[in-house]
Amino acid sequence: MNIKKRLQILFISGGLLFALIPSTAIASEIAIEAFTDKTSLTMKDRLVLTVKISGEVIGSLPEPYEISYDGFDIMRRPSTSSNFSWINGRISSSKTITYILMPKSEGSFLVGKASIEYKGEVFASKPVEVKVAAAAPVAAEEEMPGQTTTMMADPLARILVSATLDKDQVYMGEAVLYTFSFFRKIRLWENPEYNPPTFADFWAEDLPRSTDQKEVIIRGERYLREDIKKVLYPAKEGLIKIGSTNIVVKLDPFARPTTLTTEPLELEVLPLPPEPEGFQGAVGNFSISTDIEATKVKDGEPVTVKVKIAGIGNINAISPPTYEESEFLRGYEPKDSVDISTLNDMISGTKTFEFLFITLKPGNVQLPIFKFTYFDPAEELFKTLHTKEINLTVLDSGRGGVLSSDPDQAEFYGSNVQKKTLRPIHMKSELDNWNPLSYISGAHLVMLIFPPFILLIAIFLKKIINKRAGGLKGIKRALEEHRKAGSLINPENSRDFFSETAAILNDYFVYLLDLPSAAMPKEEIHLALSQAGMPRELLARIEKSLSMAEMGRFSPARYGQEEMKAFHKEVKDIIHSCEGLGLRRPGR
């Protein structure tokens, strides 16, 4: 074969190959496929259908305009994810669409045939054959969520609601679980609007909402169930009515929202048996323990004792344990902290009280034994817990019992601990003969000293004026906020009332003493007022009011309307009594 003929054959073959390349590229430019997480399931199972569209395309990939899922319902809106990459000059794009399907009937079905259109050409995925078998019998407890109220439903029974209590009868202060249940068998267009009752006669604690939705069978129909739960602690005796909960749901984008309302509930609250001495309202099941920083100190030094009360019940409302006073120790009001747990639909945790004691005499001292009394509703009796004995060695500091001979020095939280005296440091100058005044004499000395003297007087006068204006502003603001707090005097608003009143006292004392912080613990306020010269009688009233405000915040059911009115008047009297005392913050 001559060279010319060979070149002709090579040219024709190359042309044919070049003509075939575009059609191959177009055919492989985009693809669509479908697959499922399983090919056989029961009526109780879900099916995850995934449709993947991929290709060497710049820009967005097309959406499926048709997909088959005969024999199934779509449970929620499909989720979509996209990916784009450029590797070695080659473009790669993909889009994945995931559907959650629920079978409607038993049988064999073809699902996942999805169609897309790209550049005038239609592409379709191959369907997947899925077999649906009958579900195992549903447990009896899943048939109905509760028996306390009748379930309410929309006309087509697409959504249901109910409200339940885990108990019909409890003691005052005993925990009861309130559950609002929402059932649906269709996809919602918007998140529902939940409107619970006020729970005015309870101390209510929210439990975390679960993100998982449980599948249940009700009257032969499959629903997804979601619960909203609260732990309630009754604050009064008798038959308490719990109002209705309603939920507003949008089932269709073109229809009006649907409102479903549960029936009211009733709870019988029994009174506690005759209360023993030392009982402060705790109901549940608790334990007590103590911890001490050191067992050997010097007289006049502080000792910190941590008392922990742990268990199941209204942890926030627990009052400090009691103890007997000792001639060897002087104790002060404790600080407290709370650690709450909400496992297994219960409120449990630990409340820690940090007591501070000042040692008064040297010797072997036994720390106070703390007592805590609570009512156990399971056994229907009162129980008293005691801490273990702890011995403390108090060494003689050589100060002769400073605290016992002069109790005025032991005001609060370590203020009575002797301060170390720093002796002045004297340095001998090497310029013994240098006298700076020798360079200044007569009128020059007067001109040098007079301007700074005038400046100091002006600064002093301005400070007095500003202090007086600040004091007037402080009492005016305190009385105005006090007047507003009077509108909250109602047992239903007791927590807000006591919180607001405590803030009024705190802000007023910050203005009164020109303190650097706008929010101080009551112990620091006590210490600052004591050091500023506050009279003992007035200081005791202030400490009692701050403690009552704190107790009212954590135990709102403790005080009635008349007690709230008396407390409101006492706060006003304290503010007026503090005026004109001329208190000064130490160090100013």
Side-chain angles (χ1 to χ4, degrees):
M1 185 180 295
N2 57 32
I3 296 176
K4 184 176 180 181
K5 198 166 186 179
R6 288 179 179 178
L7 289 175
Q8 287 177 346
I9 294 173
L10 182 62
F11 179 78
I12 294 172
S13 300
L16 291 173
L17 180 62
F18 182 79
L20 290 173
I21 288 176
S23 62
T24 304
I26 292 175
S28 62
E29 187 175 8
I30 195 166
I32 181 171
E33 58 181 333
F35 47 90
T36 60
D37 65 330
K38 56 179 76 74
T39 56
S40 61
L41 66 157
T42 68
M43 287 292 295
K44 190 179 178 180
D45 299 327
R46 298 183 187 183
L47 181 69
V48 179
L49 169 64
T50 303
V51 176
K52 184 177 181 180
I53 306 168
S54 59
E56 299 176 2
V57 176
I58 299 177
S60 61
L61 292 166
E63 294 281 347
Y65 64 84
E66 182 181 25
I67 183 168
S68 63
Y69 50 89
D70 294 339
F72 291 83
D73 284 327
I74 295 181
M75 295 304 297
R76 64 171 74 114
R77 294 179 181 178
S79 60
T80 303
S81 62
S82 300
N83 184 52
F84 176 81
S85 63
W86 185 307
I87 302 175
N88 298 327
R90 295 192 63 182
I91 299 172
S92 177
S93 300
S94 66
K95 177 186 292 186
T96 302
I97 308 169
T98 304
Y99 302 84
I100 306 297
L101 306 179
M102 184 68 70
K104 295 190 294 185
S105 60
E106 304 170 21
S108 180
F109 305 94
L110 293 176
V111 299
K113 182 179 180 181
S115 302
I116 59 173
E117 184 177 354
Y118 183 73
K119 292 185 177 180
E121 190 173 353
V122 175
F123 300 86
S125 61
K126 292 183 179 181
V128 180
E129 184 177 6
V130 178
K131 295 181 179 181
V132 180
V138 180
E141 59 268 21
E142 289 188 350
E143 288 292 331
M144 292 295 290
Q147 305 298 329
T148 308
T149 60
T150 303
M151 302 185 71
M152 309 301 292
D154 72 301
L156 299 179
R158 294 168 294 179
I159 55 175
L160 310 172
V161 295
S162 70
T164 64
L165 296 174
D166 68 334
K167 304 170 186 175
D168 296 325
Q169 186 183 77
V170 294
Y171 283 99
M172 190 171 69
E174 181 183 355
V176 58
L177 180 65
Y178 173 87
T179 304
F180 172 79
S181 300
F182 174 68
F183 307 83
R184 64 179 180 87
K185 63 178 181 180
I186 60 172
R187 177 166 53 91
L188 303 179
W189 289 93
E190 293 179 356
N191 290 329
E193 177 185 338
Y194 167 67
N195 301 300
T198 60
F199 301 107
D201 297 321
F202 298 88
W203 178 307
E205 296 281 358
D206 293 322
L207 292 176
R209 294 181 65 169
S210 175
T211 56
D212 297 330
Q213 295 182 346
K214 182 181 179 182
E215 295 177 8
V216 296
I217 303 296
I218 301 175
R219 303 185 187 97
E221 296 288 335
R222 186 186 306 276
Y223 289 85
L224 289 179
R225 173 180 177 174
E226 182 178 356
D227 292 331
I228 301 175
K229 300 180 179 182
K230 286 179 178 286
V231 176
L232 307 177
Y233 300 96
K236 71 175 187 178
E237 307 168 7
L239 191 64
I240 299 180
K241 185 176 182 180
I242 300 175
S244 302
T245 295
N246 72 66
I247 193 166
V248 182
V249 185
K250 195 164 187 179
L251 304 177
D252 188 288
F254 306 105
R256 293 182 177 180
T258 299
T259 301
L260 294 180
T261 303
T262 64
E263 294 180 342
L265 298 170
E266 288 185 346
L267 178 69
E268 184 181 2
V269 180
L270 303 175
L272 297 177
E275 301 174 1
E277 183 180 357
F279 178 69
Q280 301 184 71
V283 177
N285 191 3
F286 304 96
S287 63
I288 191 169
S289 62
T290 54
D291 184 28
I292 184 173
E293 293 181 344
T295 58
K296 184 180 292 186
V297 295
K298 294 182 180 179
D299 64 309
E301 290 185 347
V303 178
T304 301
V305 180
K306 293 183 179 179
V307 182
K308 296 182 179 181
I309 298 176
I312 300 173
N314 193 353
I315 302 296
N316 281 317
I318 292 177
S319 300
T322 59
Y323 64 92
E324 293 184 2
E325 296 184 359
S326 168
E327 62 177 325
F328 293 92
L329 299 168
R330 176 175 288 119
Y332 299 95
E333 286 293 322
K335 301 176 183 178
D336 61 71
S337 59
V338 178
D339 183 19
I340 297 293
S341 174
T342 56
L343 295 176
N344 301 321
D345 294 340
M346 294 187 298
I347 300 292
S348 61
T350 303
K351 191 165 188 177
T352 302
F353 298 93
E354 187 173 328
F355 290 85
L356 185 134
F357 295 93
I358 302 298
T359 56
L360 303 178
K361 299 178 182 179
N364 293 323
V365 179
Q366 181 179 309
L367 286 174
I369 295 178
F370 295 90
K371 296 192 301 183
F372 178 71
T373 302
Y374 69 94
F375 179 74
D376 187 340
E379 299 186 20
E380 299 185 335
L381 54 83
F382 290 94
K383 296 180 179 180
T384 299
L385 305 175
H386 298 82
T387 58
K388 62 181 181 180
E389 294 184 359
I390 299 178
N391 294 320
L392 183 69
T393 301
V394 181
L395 305 176
D396 190 352
S397 64
R399 292 176 289 182
V402 172
L403 294 178
S404 59
S405 62
D406 187 5
D408 289 341
Q409 298 182 24
E411 285 298 337
F412 202 76
Y413 270 63
S415 62
N416 50 357
V417 179
Q418 286 186 337
K419 299 180 180 178
K420 294 182 180 179
T421 302
L422 299 179
R423 296 182 178 180
I425 300 175
H426 298 282
M427 299 182 64
K428 184 177 180 181
S429 173
E430 296 180 357
L431 302 176
D432 292 334
N433 298 325
W434 182 68
N435 185 7
L437 293 180
S438 62
Y439 298 95
I440 304 173
S441 61
H444 296 284
L445 179 60
V446 175
M447 294 298 294
L448 181 65
I449 297 177
F450 188 72
F453 182 72
I454 296 298
L455 180 61
L456 288 175
I457 293 176
I459 294 174
F460 180 73
L461 291 175
K462 184 176 181 181
K463 187 175 181 180
I464 292 177
I465 294 172
N466 290 341
K467 179 181 178 182
R468 181 174 180 82
L472 292 174
K473 180 181 178 182
I475 187 172
K476 183 178 180 181
R477 177 180 174 183
L479 293 176
E480 176 63 23
E481 294 297 325
H482 177 270
R483 184 186 62 80
K484 293 179 181 178
S487 62
L488 299 174
I489 297 178
N490 189 305
E492 296 182 0
N493 303 322
S494 57
R495 185 180 297 180
D496 294 336
F497 168 75
F498 284 109
S499 297
E500 185 69 21
T501 312
I504 291 170
L505 286 173
N506 182 89
D507 293 345
Y508 173 67
F509 293 133
V510 166
Y511 272 110
L512 184 67
L513 299 179
D514 191 22
L515 297 173
S517 173
M520 300 180 64
K522 67 176 184 179
E523 295 83 5
E524 295 185 19
I525 292 176
H526 186 123
L527 178 60
L529 291 173
S530 175
Q531 293 178 339
M534 176 70 70
R536 281 182 173 275
E537 182 181 354
L538 184 55
L539 188 62
R541 290 170 59 193
I542 293 171
E543 182 180 356
K544 182 179 180 181
S545 296
L546 290 174
S547 298
M548 184 173 177
E550 186 174 273
M551 186 60 64
R553 290 165 55 200
F554 290 108
S555 301
R558 183 180 293 269
Y559 302 111
Q561 188 164 359
E562 294 303 320
E563 292 174 297
M564 294 170 67
K565 288 181 179 179
F567 176 71
H568 187 253
K569 182 179 181 301
E570 172 67 2
V571 170
K572 184 177 181 180
D573 292 343
I574 287 175
I575 294 174
H576 283 298
S577 299
C578 289
E579 289 303 305
L581 292 178
L583 301 179
R584 291 178 56 84
R585 178 162 58 93
R588 290 191 300 166

